[in-house]
Amino acid sequence: MSPSGKGPTPIDLEKVDWPDVIKRLTVFAMKRLGSRGSLADAEDLAGQAIRQFIDPEYASWDREKEPDLLTHLGSILNGVLNNSLRRKAVEVERPLETPEAGRVAADDPTAQRRIIAREDAARAIRLLSERIKKDDLVESVLLLELDGIDRPSEQATQLDRPIAEVYKARRRLADHREAVRRQLAAESTDVKEVIN
Amino acid sequence: MSKKSLTEQQLLERLDESLAKDVLTDAYSPDEVNAAIRAAGGDPAALGQRGAELVKQLLKERRLSWREAAKQSLAETQSVSDDADLATLSREQLLRAIEEARKEPSLSGVVGAFHKRKPEQASQEELRALLSEMRTLGFIINTKDKRRVSKKE
C-alpha cells in the first residue's frame, strides 16, 4: 500500500530489473508457444507485451486487481499471443483419425482444423496421464489443474503439502507435458513425410 | 468455467498457461531461466540487455509524448483564454497591445505580412483578430525555439 493508504505503492519503472523481466517473459512466451514458434518469436512477443505495457494508449495497469508486474505482463503477453494465433489460421496437413472427421473435413477446412486440434488435445491428455501414473503428487496436481484449481498456493492447501513441493511437482508435470508435445510433433512430422 | 464446459483443447491450453506462469515467479531461479534460454539456443545476457534497451527507449518516448501532449493542451488553453481576454479590451487597449507585440523580436518581419493597412485604420473586430494571431504566432515561435534548444542539449 502507498504511504497514504490509498492503493498500492507506485512502482518506479526506472528501477525494475528489466533484464530479468524480459528473460522470464521470453521463457514464458517460449512455453506458451511450444512448437508454434522459435526463441526469436518468443522474444518478439515479450517485447510486444512490454511495449503495450508502457504505451499510454493501452489500458493502464490496475494494481488493485493484479499487484505483481510479471504476472500482469504475462497476461498482456497472453492477449498478444491469442490475437496473433487467431490471425494465423495454420493449415495442418495430416490424415484424420476418425471416419466422421474425414467426412466433415472434406466439406469444411475450418472444421477439419478444429477436429484435428480436438483429437490432438485429447491424445495429449491421455499420454500425459499415462506418463505420470506413478507420481502421486504430480497426478494430483494435474487433476486439480483440470478441475480449474490452478493457483499453486491453493493446490498446496488442497493437497496439504508445502508450496515448494507443489512447485517441484508442477515442474515435473511441465517436463512431462513438454515430452508429450515433442512426441506429438514428431509423429506429425513422420506422417507428413510418409504423405510426401 | 467448470471442467464440464471446457473441451480437451481448452483444458490443455489452460494447463499449459498455468504451468508456464511458474517461470514468472520465484519458483524458477535466475540461473534456471538463463539455462532455459541457452537450451533454446539464445544468449541470456544479450537478450536481457536488448530488453533493457527497449524499455529505456519506450520510457523515453513516453516521457516525450507526455510533454508534447501537455504543450498542445497548454497552447489550446492559452488560445481560448486569450480570446476571452481580447473580448474585454477597448480599442485603445487593443492598439497598445498590438504595438507591444510589434516590439517582440521573434515577431519582427512577420507582423507586416498580416495586413497591408495600419492597425489604426482597422475595425475593433479586426484588431482583436490581429492581436490573437500575433499572440498565437508568438507562442508557436517560442515553442519551436525551446524545442531547438532542448534538442541541442
Side-chain angles (χ1 to χ4, degrees), chain B residues 31-107:
Chain B
D31 284 346
E32 286 171 318
V33 172
N34 288 344
I37 294 168
R38 267 188 226 107
D43 175 350
L47 195 147
Q49 185 61 33
R50 282 196 295 275
E53 277 162 19
L54 170 72
V55 171
K56 200 173 161 187
Q57 181 61 32
L58 291 172
L59 288 175
K60 188 178 167 191
E61 282 171 19
R62 189 165 83 163
R63 271 194 304 274
L64 291 177
S65 82
W66 176 84
R67 278 180 54 179
E68 286 306 315
K71 271 184 193 168
Q72 202 178 336
S73 151
L74 178 68
E76 282 164 11
T77 312
Q78 213 155 11
S79 149
V80 170
S81 75
D82 275 1
D83 287 347
D85 284 350
L86 295 180
T88 64
L89 296 182
S90 67
R91 182 177 178 80
E92 288 66 35
Q93 286 170 318
L94 283 168
L95 284 169
R96 217 176 306 131
I98 289 169
E99 206 43 50
E100 281 299 308
R102 278 180 147 168
K103 292 177 190 163
E104 175 62 42
S106 61
L107 292 175

Side-chain angles (χ1 to χ4, degrees), chain B residues 7-151:
Chain B
T7 64
E8 286 101 334
Q9 207 184 334
Q10 288 167 322
L11 282 171
L12 200 62
E13 185 68 20
R14 198 178 64 183
L15 173 70
D16 287 343
E17 186 182 334
S18 169
L19 294 175
K21 270 184 189 167
D22 288 358
V23 80
L24 302 174
T25 71
D26 293 342
Y28 279 71
S29 71
D31 284 346
E32 286 171 318
V33 172
N34 288 344
I37 294 168
R38 267 188 226 107
D43 175 350
L47 195 147
Q49 185 61 33
R50 282 196 295 275
E53 277 162 19
L54 170 72
V55 171
K56 200 173 161 187
Q57 181 61 32
L58 291 172
L59 288 175
K60 188 178 167 191
E61 282 171 19
R62 189 165 83 163
R63 271 194 304 274
L64 291 177
S65 82
W66 176 84
R67 278 180 54 179
E68 286 306 315
K71 271 184 193 168
Q72 202 178 336
S73 151
L74 178 68
E76 282 164 11
T77 312
Q78 213 155 11
S79 149
V80 170
S81 75
D82 275 1
D83 287 347
D85 284 350
L86 295 180
T88 64
L89 296 182
S90 67
R91 182 177 178 80
E92 288 66 35
Q93 286 170 318
L94 283 168
L95 284 169
R96 217 176 306 131
I98 289 169
E99 206 43 50
E100 281 299 308
R102 278 180 147 168
K103 292 177 190 163
E104 175 62 42
S106 61
L107 292 175
S108 64
V110 190
V111 176
F114 276 131
H115 295 278
K116 289 289 176 199
R117 58 185 174 157
K118 289 180 179 174
E120 294 75 18
Q121 296 169 329
S123 70
Q124 194 154 339
E125 200 49 50
E126 285 171 325
L127 288 177
R128 276 197 200 102
L130 174 58
L131 187 56
S132 175
E133 282 176 71
M134 288 170 87
R135 282 183 175 179
T136 307
L137 190 60
F139 179 79
I140 292 168
I141 290 170
N142 281 337
T143 308
K144 278 185 181 170
D145 285 348
K146 278 181 197 161
R147 260 188 231 152
R148 229 174 278 137
V149 171
S150 70
K151 266 187 187 174

Side-chain angles (χ1 to χ4, degrees), chain A residues 76-123:
Chain A
I76 297 179
L77 192 146
N78 277 332
V80 175
L81 175 63
N82 291 337
N83 285 341
S84 143
L85 290 178
R86 267 196 289 272
R87 280 197 301 270
K88 289 182 208 164
V90 182
E91 198 67 54
V92 184
E93 292 174 32
R94 75 158 175 75
L96 298 162
E97 285 186 2
T98 60
E100 178 240 345
R103 277 196 303 276
V104 175
D107 301 331
D108 183 353
T110 312
Q112 177 183 0
R113 278 197 298 273
R114 258 202 318 270
I115 292 166
I116 289 171
R118 205 171 63 204
E119 286 176 354
D120 280 350
R123 178 123 195 276

Side-chain angles (χ1 to χ4, degrees), chain A residues 2 11 13 21 45-46 51 66-67 72 131 141 152 170 177:
Chain A
S2 66
I11 190 165
L13 293 180
V21 168
L45 275 175
R51 197 174 284 277
E66 184 46 77
H72 176 61
R131 288 182 68 101
V141 169
R170 291 171 63 82
R177 171 70 183 109

